[in-house]
Amino acid sequence: MQLTTDVLQRRLDEIAASGLLTREETEDVLALLAPTFPAAAALTRAESVHLHVRVDDVAAVRASLAALGEAENEKPGYVKLRAEGGVHLIVSSIEVAEDDRVATLPRRARPHLDHVGIDLRDASPPSREAFDAVATRAEHASWRAVHQ
């Protein structure tokens, strides 16, 4: 996949129009395409990316999600929507992040962008190198990381 600014901007505009992303969050996601972004090389090899948005109640927003993609995976408190262009949306209210399990952390207001996932399915040496480089650059940037 070759993720482009036009495709990403269009998708972000759709999601923001639904009230699920703020202007700051959309700007942060657009920064993924900057050549200086630590995962820039991995993004050029990605099959797709997903934007994971946390909400209080998926059922309460489910009807408004129909215009944002086709449900690929759905269960109570979680829906993954596939869309053309390789920029997919996950909306959930269930615990999925390590931060959810830390009782001393304040709970962020919802909806909010929880994370952006980069889907590297190609197991070739160049993809592995790009993947490994993300972890190294993230460590140097003092980002917290959880490997899946």
Side-chain angles (χ1 to χ4, degrees):
M1 173 190 89
Q2 181 61 43
L3 186 61
T4 66
T5 302
D6 290 346
V7 168
L8 185 56
Q9 182 70 65
R10 188 171 41 255
R11 185 71 170 138
L12 290 170
D13 289 345
E14 293 168 353
I15 298 168
S18 74
L20 293 174
L21 291 177
T22 66
R23 176 184 290 213
E24 292 166 332
E25 289 169 331
T26 60
E27 289 171 3
D28 288 345
V29 174
L30 282 172
L32 296 174
L33 296 181
T36 56
F37 182 69
L43 279 164
T44 65
R45 304 199 63 80
E47 179 177 296
S48 64
V49 296
H50 71 260
L51 308 175
H52 189 138
V53 174
R54 300 296 301 278
V55 297
D56 286 319
D57 182 3
V58 171
V61 299
R62 183 61 183 98
S64 67
L65 299 177
L68 297 176
E70 179 182 337
E72 175 181 272
N73 187 358
E74 189 168 3
K75 59 186 175 184
Y78 175 94
V79 62
K80 180 178 182 182
L81 303 170
R82 176 172 289 283
E84 289 185 30
V87 182
H88 308 303
L89 176 66
I90 296 173
V91 179
S92 77
S93 58
I94 58 177
E95 290 187 2
V96 294
E98 290 298 310
D99 287 354
D100 294 331
R101 296 174 182 93
V102 180
T104 57
L105 288 176
R107 183 173 173 213
R108 291 178 57 198
R110 295 180 183 186
H112 70 262
L113 180 65
D114 184 78
H115 68 272
V116 177
I118 302 169
D119 187 359
L120 296 173
R121 301 218 177 226
D122 172 20
S124 68
S127 286
R128 185 65 202 192
E129 185 178 310
F131 176 82
D132 291 341
V134 172
T136 301
R137 298 215 39 208
E139 183 179 320
H140 289 291
S142 299
W143 292 355
R144 292 185 359 224
V146 176
H147 297 281
Q148 296 180 342

